[in-house]
Amino acid sequence: MALLQISEPGQTAAPHERKHALGIDLGTTNSLVATVRSGTAEALPDNEGRVLLPSAVYYGPEQPLVGHSALVQASEYPTDTLQSFKRLMGRGAGDVDAMGYTLLESEEGMARIQTSAGDISPVQASADVLAELARRGRDTVGSEIDGVVITVPAYFDEAQRQATKDAATLAGLRVIRLLNEPTAAAVAYGLDSGREGLIAVYDLGGGTFDISILRLNLGVFEVVATGGDTALGGDDFDQALAHWALQQAGLNAGDPAQLRAALMAARAAKEQLSAQDSAELIIGGQSLAITREQFEALIQSLVKRSLRACRRALRDAGCEPTDVQEVVMVGGSTRVPLVRSAVAELFGRDPLTSIDPDTVVAVGAALQADLLVGNKPDQELLLLDVIPLSLGLETVGGLVEKVIERNTTIPVGKAQEFTTYKDGQTAMAIHVVQGERELVSDCRSLARFELRGIPPMVAGAARILVTFQVDADGLLSVTAEEQSTGVQASISVKPSYGLSDDQIADMLQASWRHAEGDMLARQLAEERVAAEQLVLSLHAAIEQDASLLEAEEREQLEVAMLELVGLCENSEEPAKIKQACEALGRQSEAFAARRMDAAIGKALAGVKLDELESMTEDKH
């Protein structure tokens, strides 16, 4: 007799056997890997005890070199040693600063970097870093890895998230989930200290800045609002200091080798200035002294940029700085004293720094990975990330109909019913857009597809159900279905690459700046659409039942319709178009009544009086 071994869902057949999962912080400047061992999440060091792996890859004649060994080649081979390539993920060559590299467009639209070993995509470079971290993880736990959680900036759009998943696949990793970096930090702090209430997560890494306002309550982490700047980080501090040093030394900042050497010296000086009042830079054989006060003057505007993003996120969350109970500092750049003092001044409290800001994101990702592979089935942790920008469809008139509003928690699925615009319409073009503005022209186009096979009906009779599904990684799929026939079309949105970092950051600001004008533009477009539909309906009615109109009546209606069309083309005042529509509606009421009478008469033709009485009695 065969025996079945039964285990609970989410558990292994032998409960004492643990699955091995990793949390990976794939950073712009440095990356880390962490795992949970003996109930504690910890960042994993390399053979020399270093937990930080520089996000750098040298592509030479042999196998690529990753991390510290790659940095050794940076001065001699600056264009073959790739760094900060995370900024290029999901971006076109014309959308970002070349950072000293030669960027080329590829067929898929993402920038590639020209090196001696060939043209390298940022996905490939990221995959090489991920593979090195996975190797470190396997060596530490002594077995293969069952799954990984990889963190991404909260402001990464769908293209950047998909590029990150592609890199993991290329590295041979099974991604359980992509997790926003600030949310990962909240996991680490929430589980360790059990704090409840509003928490701000200020995440200033090497190349990106994120601010998230989270509500923690009874183990539930809800991201109330997010914001940030995908082109702001410690690398910009290094750039400011390096350019100052090169100027002081009278050297050329356009020389890649000199700039790379200056950046390395600037980074070392920046780290020294976090612990002491002055530092020394060796640039081109010259020694330059700089004080903390001088350094702070160089980066003052950059720090202020981060604070502006914080204020926007607070407005989104509908709260004041004083409502925030704790501020979590994430990212190595938060060690800069000016950053900590500026954040403390904004929120009116000293920020939390008890967990190493370099490792806190990886630690949170490891805790989440350990949970998701089923090692803690008795523990529940609910993470509610949010959609950073609204998702919707283009409707007639170039208007945006938002289906999922920004800051909606994910994963989420929402459906909305639409209909046809013209009589006999058998197909519908579905245009998926992202953004906060009222007009399609001011939003980002994500995808287009067509629903065909709609039964020909009068305008407005068809029922098209459009469903939006956003998974836990923030990736979107859209399905359109005609309700009477079940005919269906769908698309998984992998957006075209090429949205610039500035565009992402500006989209929210633009929605606030243009709020009043956008609403006026929407009203104008809606009234124009209503007028166009009225004119189309009247034209069709006149062609079908011209015999019900006197010649003079028909002429008057046609003149009124022409005047309404002209008003739509020339007027920018919605109220005037609305008034003209109402006037034309009143003018055509008698014609509409005659058509209805004629239709009823036609329906009752040949029906005897006693049959009509019998039908009436049956209804009662």
Side-chain angles (χ1 to χ4, degrees), residues 237-238 241-242 244-245 261-283 288-292 295 298 336-337:
F237 293 178
D238 299 340
L241 183 51
W244 173 86
L263 285 169
M264 292 177 68
R267 187 169 299 141
K270 175 188 69 177
E271 292 169 0
Q272 290 176 28
L273 290 170
S274 292
Q276 56 198 48
D277 294 331
S278 63
E280 184 182 20
L281 295 86
I282 306 298
I283 303 290
L288 299 172
I290 185 168
T291 65
R292 181 185 291 178
F295 174 60
L298 291 172
V336 174

PDB file of all heavy atoms in Angstrom, residues 237-238 241-242 244-245 261-283 288-292 295 298 336-337:
ATOM      1  N   PHE A 237      26.192  64.244  -5.521  1.00  0.00           N
ATOM      2  CA  PHE A 237      27.085  64.886  -4.548  1.00  0.00           C
ATOM      3  C   PHE A 237      28.531  64.746  -5.026  1.00  0.00           C
ATOM      4  O   PHE A 237      29.312  65.705  -4.992  1.00  0.00           O
ATOM      5  CB  PHE A 237      26.947  64.228  -3.167  1.00  0.00           C
ATOM      6  CG  PHE A 237      25.613  64.447  -2.496  1.00  0.00           C
ATOM      7  CD1 PHE A 237      25.353  63.865  -1.264  1.00  0.00           C
ATOM      8  CD2 PHE A 237      24.619  65.213  -3.079  1.00  0.00           C
ATOM      9  CE1 PHE A 237      24.138  64.055  -0.629  1.00  0.00           C
ATOM     10  CE2 PHE A 237      23.392  65.414  -2.459  1.00  0.00           C
ATOM     11  CZ  PHE A 237      23.159  64.832  -1.225  1.00  0.00           C
ATOM     12  N   ASP A 238      28.870  63.512  -5.480  1.00  0.00           N
ATOM     13  CA  ASP A 238      30.229  63.260  -5.972  1.00  0.00           C
ATOM     14  C   ASP A 238      30.539  64.121  -7.193  1.00  0.00           C
ATOM     15  O   ASP A 238      31.645  64.676  -7.314  1.00  0.00           O
ATOM     16  CB  ASP A 238      30.393  61.785  -6.342  1.00  0.00           C
ATOM     17  CG  ASP A 238      30.172  60.861  -5.159  1.00  0.00           C
ATOM     18  OD1 ASP A 238      30.263  61.335  -4.008  1.00  0.00           O
ATOM     19  OD2 ASP A 238      29.903  59.666  -5.384  1.00  0.00           O
ATOM     20  N   LEU A 241      31.211  67.771  -6.162  1.00  0.00           N
ATOM     21  CA  LEU A 241      32.524  67.925  -5.528  1.00  0.00           C
ATOM     22  C   LEU A 241      33.655  67.693  -6.529  1.00  0.00           C
ATOM     23  O   LEU A 241      34.662  68.422  -6.522  1.00  0.00           O
ATOM     24  CB  LEU A 241      32.641  66.948  -4.351  1.00  0.00           C
ATOM     25  CG  LEU A 241      33.926  67.011  -3.513  1.00  0.00           C
ATOM     26  CD1 LEU A 241      34.227  68.436  -3.054  1.00  0.00           C
ATOM     27  CD2 LEU A 241      33.815  66.073  -2.312  1.00  0.00           C
ATOM     28  N   ALA A 242      33.495  66.725  -7.430  1.00  0.00           N
ATOM     29  CA  ALA A 242      34.534  66.428  -8.419  1.00  0.00           C
ATOM     30  C   ALA A 242      34.729  67.600  -9.383  1.00  0.00           C
ATOM     31  O   ALA A 242      35.867  67.970  -9.700  1.00  0.00           O
ATOM     32  CB  ALA A 242      34.172  65.160  -9.194  1.00  0.00           C
ATOM     33  N   TRP A 244      34.023  70.705  -8.806  1.00  0.00           N
ATOM     34  CA  TRP A 244      34.661  71.798  -8.039  1.00  0.00           C
ATOM     35  C   TRP A 244      36.169  71.562  -7.949  1.00  0.00           C
ATOM     36  O   TRP A 244      36.968  72.486  -8.170  1.00  0.00           O
ATOM     37  CB  TRP A 244      34.056  71.855  -6.631  1.00  0.00           C
ATOM     38  CG  TRP A 244      34.747  72.819  -5.708  1.00  0.00           C
ATOM     39  CD1 TRP A 244      34.511  74.150  -5.576  1.00  0.00           C
ATOM     40  CD2 TRP A 244      35.805  72.508  -4.799  1.00  0.00           C
ATOM     41  NE1 TRP A 244      35.356  74.699  -4.636  1.00  0.00           N
ATOM     42  CE2 TRP A 244      36.162  73.711  -4.138  1.00  0.00           C
ATOM     43  CE3 TRP A 244      36.488  71.342  -4.468  1.00  0.00           C
ATOM     44  CZ2 TRP A 244      37.175  73.766  -3.172  1.00  0.00           C
ATOM     45  CZ3 TRP A 244      37.498  71.393  -3.509  1.00  0.00           C
ATOM     46  CH2 TRP A 244      37.829  72.592  -2.866  1.00  0.00           C
ATOM     47  N   ALA A 245      36.566  70.326  -7.655  1.00  0.00           N
ATOM     48  CA  ALA A 245      37.980  69.999  -7.507  1.00  0.00           C
ATOM     49  C   ALA A 245      38.741  70.166  -8.823  1.00  0.00           C
ATOM     50  O   ALA A 245      39.850  70.712  -8.855  1.00  0.00           O
ATOM     51  CB  ALA A 245      38.129  68.572  -6.984  1.00  0.00           C
ATOM     52  N   ALA A 261      38.804  59.677 -12.117  1.00  0.00           N
ATOM     53  CA  ALA A 261      39.712  59.771 -10.969  1.00  0.00           C
ATOM     54  C   ALA A 261      39.212  60.809  -9.966  1.00  0.00           C
ATOM     55  O   ALA A 261      39.279  60.604  -8.742  1.00  0.00           O
ATOM     56  CB  ALA A 261      41.116  60.130 -11.447  1.00  0.00           C
ATOM     57  N   ALA A 262      38.690  61.934 -10.482  1.00  0.00           N
ATOM     58  CA  ALA A 262      38.169  62.985  -9.601  1.00  0.00           C
ATOM     59  C   ALA A 262      36.947  62.499  -8.840  1.00  0.00           C
ATOM     60  O   ALA A 262      36.769  62.818  -7.650  1.00  0.00           O
ATOM     61  CB  ALA A 262      37.823  64.231 -10.422  1.00  0.00           C
ATOM     62  N   LEU A 263      36.100  61.712  -9.496  1.00  0.00           N
ATOM     63  CA  LEU A 263      34.919  61.178  -8.825  1.00  0.00           C
ATOM     64  C   LEU A 263      35.289  60.231  -7.692  1.00  0.00           C
ATOM     65  O   LEU A 263      34.675  60.249  -6.619  1.00  0.00           O
ATOM     66  CB  LEU A 263      34.023  60.448  -9.835  1.00  0.00           C
ATOM     67  CG  LEU A 263      33.216  61.339 -10.787  1.00  0.00           C
ATOM     68  CD1 LEU A 263      32.581  60.504 -11.896  1.00  0.00           C
ATOM     69  CD2 LEU A 263      32.133  62.098 -10.024  1.00  0.00           C
ATOM     70  N   MET A 264      36.310  59.405  -7.914  1.00  0.00           N
ATOM     71  CA  MET A 264      36.742  58.477  -6.864  1.00  0.00           C
ATOM     72  C   MET A 264      37.307  59.243  -5.674  1.00  0.00           C
ATOM     73  O   MET A 264      37.026  58.922  -4.511  1.00  0.00           O
ATOM     74  CB  MET A 264      37.779  57.502  -7.428  1.00  0.00           C
ATOM     75  CG  MET A 264      37.205  56.535  -8.454  1.00  0.00           C
ATOM     76  SD  MET A 264      38.432  55.435  -9.180  1.00  0.00           S
ATOM     77  CE  MET A 264      38.848  54.425  -7.767  1.00  0.00           C
ATOM     78  N   ALA A 265      38.072  60.296  -5.962  1.00  0.00           N
ATOM     79  CA  ALA A 265      38.631  61.122  -4.883  1.00  0.00           C
ATOM     80  C   ALA A 265      37.526  61.874  -4.157  1.00  0.00           C
ATOM     81  O   ALA A 265      37.555  62.021  -2.922  1.00  0.00           O
ATOM     82  CB  ALA A 265      39.655  62.098  -5.464  1.00  0.00           C
ATOM     83  N   ALA A 266      36.538  62.364  -4.912  1.00  0.00           N
ATOM     84  CA  ALA A 266      35.420  63.100  -4.312  1.00  0.00           C
ATOM     85  C   ALA A 266      34.603  62.200  -3.398  1.00  0.00           C
ATOM     86  O   ALA A 266      34.189  62.615  -2.306  1.00  0.00           O
ATOM     87  CB  ALA A 266      34.535  63.681  -5.417  1.00  0.00           C
ATOM     88  N   ARG A 267      34.390  60.948  -3.828  1.00  0.00           N
ATOM     89  CA  ARG A 267      33.604  60.016  -3.005  1.00  0.00           C
ATOM     90  C   ARG A 267      34.313  59.753  -1.674  1.00  0.00           C
ATOM     91  O   ARG A 267      33.683  59.726  -0.616  1.00  0.00           O
ATOM     92  CB  ARG A 267      33.390  58.713  -3.770  1.00  0.00           C
ATOM     93  CG  ARG A 267      32.439  57.743  -3.085  1.00  0.00           C
ATOM     94  CD  ARG A 267      32.060  56.611  -4.024  1.00  0.00           C
ATOM     95  NE  ARG A 267      31.384  57.113  -5.200  1.00  0.00           N
ATOM     96  CZ  ARG A 267      31.561  56.634  -6.429  1.00  0.00           C
ATOM     97  NH1 ARG A 267      32.406  55.659  -6.636  1.00  0.00           N
ATOM     98  NH2 ARG A 267      30.885  57.145  -7.448  1.00  0.00           N
ATOM     99  N   ALA A 268      35.627  59.567  -1.734  1.00  0.00           N
ATOM    100  CA  ALA A 268      36.392  59.324  -0.507  1.00  0.00           C
ATOM    101  C   ALA A 268      36.341  60.539   0.416  1.00  0.00           C
ATOM    102  O   ALA A 268      36.173  60.405   1.634  1.00  0.00           O
ATOM    103  CB  ALA A 268      37.835  58.971  -0.862  1.00  0.00           C
ATOM    104  N   ALA A 269      36.457  61.740  -0.172  1.00  0.00           N
ATOM    105  CA  ALA A 269      36.416  62.966   0.632  1.00  0.00           C
ATOM    106  C   ALA A 269      35.036  63.160   1.250  1.00  0.00           C
ATOM    107  O   ALA A 269      34.907  63.567   2.411  1.00  0.00           O
ATOM    108  CB  ALA A 269      36.790  64.166  -0.236  1.00  0.00           C
ATOM    109  N   LYS A 270      33.987  62.869   0.492  1.00  0.00           N
ATOM    110  CA  LYS A 270      32.609  62.984   1.002  1.00  0.00           C
ATOM    111  C   LYS A 270      32.422  62.105   2.229  1.00  0.00           C
ATOM    112  O   LYS A 270      31.820  62.531   3.234  1.00  0.00           O
ATOM    113  CB  LYS A 270      31.622  62.579  -0.099  1.00  0.00           C
ATOM    114  CG  LYS A 270      30.164  62.542   0.330  1.00  0.00           C
ATOM    115  CD  LYS A 270      29.265  61.946  -0.748  1.00  0.00           C
ATOM    116  CE  LYS A 270      29.508  60.459  -0.925  1.00  0.00           C
ATOM    117  NZ  LYS A 270      28.583  59.859  -1.913  1.00  0.00           N
ATOM    118  N   GLU A 271      32.927  60.874   2.153  1.00  0.00           N
ATOM    119  CA  GLU A 271      32.790  59.955   3.285  1.00  0.00           C
ATOM    120  C   GLU A 271      33.567  60.450   4.496  1.00  0.00           C
ATOM    121  O   GLU A 271      33.106  60.330   5.642  1.00  0.00           O
ATOM    122  CB  GLU A 271      33.248  58.557   2.863  1.00  0.00           C
ATOM    123  CG  GLU A 271      32.318  57.915   1.827  1.00  0.00           C
ATOM    124  CD  GLU A 271      32.879  56.650   1.202  1.00  0.00           C
ATOM    125  OE1 GLU A 271      34.018  56.265   1.583  1.00  0.00           O
ATOM    126  OE2 GLU A 271      32.207  56.045   0.338  1.00  0.00           O
ATOM    127  N   GLN A 272      34.739  61.029   4.256  1.00  0.00           N
ATOM    128  CA  GLN A 272      35.524  61.593   5.369  1.00  0.00           C
ATOM    129  C   GLN A 272      34.781  62.751   6.021  1.00  0.00           C
ATOM    130  O   GLN A 272      34.765  62.885   7.249  1.00  0.00           O
ATOM    131  CB  GLN A 272      36.897  62.076   4.874  1.00  0.00           C
ATOM    132  CG  GLN A 272      37.851  60.968   4.468  1.00  0.00           C
ATOM    133  CD  GLN A 272      39.154  61.520   3.902  1.00  0.00           C
ATOM    134  OE1 GLN A 272      39.580  62.627   4.254  1.00  0.00           O
ATOM    135  NE2 GLN A 272      39.788  60.764   3.025  1.00  0.00           N
ATOM    136  N   LEU A 273      34.130  63.584   5.195  1.00  0.00           N
ATOM    137  CA  LEU A 273      33.455  64.776   5.718  1.00  0.00           C
ATOM    138  C   LEU A 273      32.194  64.433   6.520  1.00  0.00           C
ATOM    139  O   LEU A 273      31.651  65.287   7.206  1.00  0.00           O
ATOM    140  CB  LEU A 273      33.096  65.722   4.561  1.00  0.00           C
ATOM    141  CG  LEU A 273      34.292  66.410   3.893  1.00  0.00           C
ATOM    142  CD1 LEU A 273      33.859  67.118   2.620  1.00  0.00           C
ATOM    143  CD2 LEU A 273      34.941  67.403   4.856  1.00  0.00           C
ATOM    144  N   SER A 274      31.744  63.191   6.440  1.00  0.00           N
ATOM    145  CA  SER A 274      30.614  62.784   7.277  1.00  0.00           C
ATOM    146  C   SER A 274      31.053  62.563   8.721  1.00  0.00           C
ATOM    147  O   SER A 274      30.232  62.571   9.631  1.00  0.00           O
ATOM    148  CB  SER A 274      29.976  61.496   6.732  1.00  0.00           C
ATOM    149  OG  SER A 274      29.359  61.758   5.487  1.00  0.00           O
ATOM    150  N   ALA A 275      32.367  62.359   8.906  1.00  0.00           N
ATOM    151  CA  ALA A 275      32.887  62.087  10.254  1.00  0.00           C
ATOM    152  C   ALA A 275      33.809  63.185  10.777  1.00  0.00           C
ATOM    153  O   ALA A 275      34.075  63.248  11.972  1.00  0.00           O
ATOM    154  CB  ALA A 275      33.631  60.751  10.253  1.00  0.00           C
ATOM    155  N   GLN A 276      34.307  64.049   9.888  1.00  0.00           N
ATOM    156  CA  GLN A 276      35.238  65.103  10.312  1.00  0.00           C
ATOM    157  C   GLN A 276      34.941  66.402   9.586  1.00  0.00           C
ATOM    158  O   GLN A 276      34.165  66.429   8.637  1.00  0.00           O
ATOM    159  CB  GLN A 276      36.688  64.651  10.074  1.00  0.00           C
ATOM    160  CG  GLN A 276      36.971  64.254   8.639  1.00  0.00           C
ATOM    161  CD  GLN A 276      38.238  63.419   8.486  1.00  0.00           C
ATOM    162  OE1 GLN A 276      38.456  62.453   9.209  1.00  0.00           O
ATOM    163  NE2 GLN A 276      39.092  63.824   7.553  1.00  0.00           N
ATOM    164  N   ASP A 277      35.561  67.488  10.047  1.00  0.00           N
ATOM    165  CA  ASP A 277      35.237  68.822   9.531  1.00  0.00           C
ATOM    166  C   ASP A 277      35.964  69.198   8.251  1.00  0.00           C
ATOM    167  O   ASP A 277      35.609  70.182   7.603  1.00  0.00           O
ATOM    168  CB  ASP A 277      35.541  69.880  10.607  1.00  0.00           C
ATOM    169  CG  ASP A 277      34.620  69.742  11.809  1.00  0.00           C
ATOM    170  OD1 ASP A 277      33.476  69.277  11.614  1.00  0.00           O
ATOM    171  OD2 ASP A 277      35.042  70.081  12.926  1.00  0.00           O
ATOM    172  N   SER A 278      37.005  68.452   7.882  1.00  0.00           N
ATOM    173  CA  SER A 278      37.745  68.780   6.661  1.00  0.00           C
ATOM    174  C   SER A 278      38.295  67.500   6.040  1.00  0.00           C
ATOM    175  O   SER A 278      38.368  66.464   6.696  1.00  0.00           O
ATOM    176  CB  SER A 278      38.887  69.761   6.957  1.00  0.00           C
ATOM    177  OG  SER A 278      39.828  69.173   7.834  1.00  0.00           O
ATOM    178  N   ALA A 279      38.657  67.606   4.768  1.00  0.00           N
ATOM    179  CA  ALA A 279      39.208  66.450   4.051  1.00  0.00           C
ATOM    180  C   ALA A 279      40.175  66.943   2.985  1.00  0.00           C
ATOM    181  O   ALA A 279      40.229  68.150   2.672  1.00  0.00           O
ATOM    182  CB  ALA A 279      38.090  65.624   3.437  1.00  0.00           C
ATOM    183  N   GLU A 280      40.902  65.981   2.414  1.00  0.00           N
ATOM    184  CA  GLU A 280      41.885  66.314   1.385  1.00  0.00           C
ATOM    185  C   GLU A 280      41.614  65.490   0.146  1.00  0.00           C
ATOM    186  O   GLU A 280      41.314  64.298   0.225  1.00  0.00           O
ATOM    187  CB  GLU A 280      43.303  66.034   1.915  1.00  0.00           C
ATOM    188  CG  GLU A 280      44.407  66.445   0.954  1.00  0.00           C
ATOM    189  CD  GLU A 280      45.792  66.107   1.493  1.00  0.00           C
ATOM    190  OE1 GLU A 280      45.877  65.233   2.389  1.00  0.00           O
ATOM    191  OE2 GLU A 280      46.770  66.694   1.016  1.00  0.00           O
ATOM    192  N   LEU A 281      41.693  66.146  -1.034  1.00  0.00           N
ATOM    193  CA  LEU A 281      41.543  65.461  -2.305  1.00  0.00           C
ATOM    194  C   LEU A 281      42.850  65.549  -3.073  1.00  0.00           C
ATOM    195  O   LEU A 281      43.461  66.620  -3.147  1.00  0.00           O
ATOM    196  CB  LEU A 281      40.437  66.087  -3.169  1.00  0.00           C
ATOM    197  CG  LEU A 281      38.981  66.039  -2.695  1.00  0.00           C
ATOM    198  CD1 LEU A 281      38.703  67.229  -1.787  1.00  0.00           C
ATOM    199  CD2 LEU A 281      38.044  66.070  -3.898  1.00  0.00           C
ATOM    200  N   ILE A 282      43.272  64.431  -3.656  1.00  0.00           N
ATOM    201  CA  ILE A 282      44.444  64.421  -4.532  1.00  0.00           C
ATOM    202  C   ILE A 282      43.921  64.353  -5.968  1.00  0.00           C
ATOM    203  O   ILE A 282      43.370  63.339  -6.403  1.00  0.00           O
ATOM    204  CB  ILE A 282      45.365  63.225  -4.238  1.00  0.00           C
ATOM    205  CG1 ILE A 282      45.748  63.187  -2.755  1.00  0.00           C
ATOM    206  CG2 ILE A 282      46.604  63.290  -5.134  1.00  0.00           C
ATOM    207  CD1 ILE A 282      46.535  64.412  -2.305  1.00  0.00           C
ATOM    208  N   ILE A 283      44.071  65.454  -6.703  1.00  0.00           N
ATOM    209  CA  ILE A 283      43.571  65.553  -8.077  1.00  0.00           C
ATOM    210  C   ILE A 283      44.728  65.920  -8.995  1.00  0.00           C
ATOM    211  O   ILE A 283      45.331  66.990  -8.859  1.00  0.00           O
ATOM    212  CB  ILE A 283      42.467  66.630  -8.197  1.00  0.00           C
ATOM    213  CG1 ILE A 283      41.310  66.342  -7.238  1.00  0.00           C
ATOM    214  CG2 ILE A 283      41.961  66.726  -9.631  1.00  0.00           C
ATOM    215  CD1 ILE A 283      40.474  65.149  -7.604  1.00  0.00           C
ATOM    216  N   LEU A 288      44.187  69.193  -2.597  1.00  0.00           N
ATOM    217  CA  LEU A 288      43.189  70.234  -2.355  1.00  0.00           C
ATOM    218  C   LEU A 288      42.501  69.966  -1.021  1.00  0.00           C
ATOM    219  O   LEU A 288      42.061  68.846  -0.750  1.00  0.00           O
ATOM    220  CB  LEU A 288      42.133  70.248  -3.462  1.00  0.00           C
ATOM    221  CG  LEU A 288      42.609  70.537  -4.896  1.00  0.00           C
ATOM    222  CD1 LEU A 288      41.458  70.323  -5.878  1.00  0.00           C
ATOM    223  CD2 LEU A 288      43.124  71.969  -5.005  1.00  0.00           C
ATOM    224  N   ALA A 289      42.397  71.003  -0.212  1.00  0.00           N
ATOM    225  CA  ALA A 289      41.704  70.887   1.069  1.00  0.00           C
ATOM    226  C   ALA A 289      40.288  71.429   0.919  1.00  0.00           C
ATOM    227  O   ALA A 289      40.057  72.413   0.212  1.00  0.00           O
ATOM    228  CB  ALA A 289      42.445  71.659   2.151  1.00  0.00           C
ATOM    229  N   ILE A 290      39.327  70.754   1.557  1.00  0.00           N
ATOM    230  CA  ILE A 290      37.943  71.222   1.531  1.00  0.00           C
ATOM    231  C   ILE A 290      37.336  71.026   2.910  1.00  0.00           C
ATOM    232  O   ILE A 290      37.604  70.022   3.588  1.00  0.00           O
ATOM    233  CB  ILE A 290      37.109  70.479   0.457  1.00  0.00           C
ATOM    234  CG1 ILE A 290      35.693  71.083   0.374  1.00  0.00           C
ATOM    235  CG2 ILE A 290      37.063  68.976   0.711  1.00  0.00           C
ATOM    236  CD1 ILE A 290      34.900  70.639  -0.825  1.00  0.00           C
ATOM    237  N   THR A 291      36.534  71.979   3.325  1.00  0.00           N
ATOM    238  CA  THR A 291      35.866  71.880   4.625  1.00  0.00           C
ATOM    239  C   THR A 291      34.450  71.347   4.434  1.00  0.00           C
ATOM    240  O   THR A 291      33.903  71.383   3.332  1.00  0.00           O
ATOM    241  CB  THR A 291      35.795  73.251   5.314  1.00  0.00           C
ATOM    242  OG1 THR A 291      34.957  74.119   4.527  1.00  0.00           O
ATOM    243  CG2 THR A 291      37.183  73.870   5.449  1.00  0.00           C
ATOM    244  N   ARG A 292      33.870  70.891   5.538  1.00  0.00           N
ATOM    245  CA  ARG A 292      32.484  70.409   5.478  1.00  0.00           C
ATOM    246  C   ARG A 292      31.550  71.545   5.054  1.00  0.00           C
ATOM    247  O   ARG A 292      30.597  71.326   4.287  1.00  0.00           O
ATOM    248  CB  ARG A 292      32.055  69.847   6.831  1.00  0.00           C
ATOM    249  CG  ARG A 292      30.622  69.314   6.815  1.00  0.00           C
ATOM    250  CD  ARG A 292      30.167  68.876   8.196  1.00  0.00           C
ATOM    251  NE  ARG A 292      30.862  67.686   8.638  1.00  0.00           N
ATOM    252  CZ  ARG A 292      30.677  67.119   9.830  1.00  0.00           C
ATOM    253  NH1 ARG A 292      29.823  67.673  10.686  1.00  0.00           N
ATOM    254  NH2 ARG A 292      31.334  66.035  10.180  1.00  0.00           N
ATOM    255  N   PHE A 295      31.678  71.928   1.321  1.00  0.00           N
ATOM    256  CA  PHE A 295      30.987  70.803   0.695  1.00  0.00           C
ATOM    257  C   PHE A 295      29.473  70.973   0.786  1.00  0.00           C
ATOM    258  O   PHE A 295      28.742  70.751  -0.184  1.00  0.00           O
ATOM    259  CB  PHE A 295      31.423  69.499   1.362  1.00  0.00           C
ATOM    260  CG  PHE A 295      30.657  68.288   0.884  1.00  0.00           C
ATOM    261  CD1 PHE A 295      30.665  67.904  -0.447  1.00  0.00           C
ATOM    262  CD2 PHE A 295      29.921  67.526   1.785  1.00  0.00           C
ATOM    263  CE1 PHE A 295      29.962  66.793  -0.884  1.00  0.00           C
ATOM    264  CE2 PHE A 295      29.206  66.411   1.369  1.00  0.00           C
ATOM    265  CZ  PHE A 295      29.226  66.042   0.028  1.00  0.00           C
ATOM    266  N   LEU A 298      28.109  73.249  -1.739  1.00  0.00           N
ATOM    267  CA  LEU A 298      28.057  72.659  -3.081  1.00  0.00           C
ATOM    268  C   LEU A 298      26.819  71.794  -3.283  1.00  0.00           C
ATOM    269  O   LEU A 298      26.290  71.698  -4.395  1.00  0.00           O
ATOM    270  CB  LEU A 298      29.322  71.806  -3.332  1.00  0.00           C
ATOM    271  CG  LEU A 298      30.655  72.543  -3.467  1.00  0.00           C
ATOM    272  CD1 LEU A 298      31.810  71.542  -3.517  1.00  0.00           C
ATOM    273  CD2 LEU A 298      30.666  73.409  -4.723  1.00  0.00           C
ATOM    274  N   VAL A 336      25.420  61.770   5.252  1.00  0.00           N
ATOM    275  CA  VAL A 336      25.894  63.150   5.131  1.00  0.00           C
ATOM    276  C   VAL A 336      25.180  64.004   6.188  1.00  0.00           C
ATOM    277  O   VAL A 336      23.944  64.043   6.226  1.00  0.00           O
ATOM    278  CB  VAL A 336      25.607  63.702   3.715  1.00  0.00           C
ATOM    279  CG1 VAL A 336      25.964  65.177   3.623  1.00  0.00           C
ATOM    280  CG2 VAL A 336      26.383  62.895   2.667  1.00  0.00           C
ATOM    281  N   PRO A 337      25.927  64.669   7.066  1.00  0.00           N
ATOM    282  CA  PRO A 337      25.302  65.433   8.163  1.00  0.00           C
ATOM    283  C   PRO A 337      24.268  66.448   7.700  1.00  0.00           C
ATOM    284  O   PRO A 337      23.240  66.631   8.352  1.00  0.00           O
ATOM    285  CB  PRO A 337      26.503  66.118   8.832  1.00  0.00           C
ATOM    286  CG  PRO A 337      27.658  65.214   8.553  1.00  0.00           C
ATOM    287  CD  PRO A 337      27.403  64.662   7.182  1.00  0.00           C
TER     288      PRO A 337
END
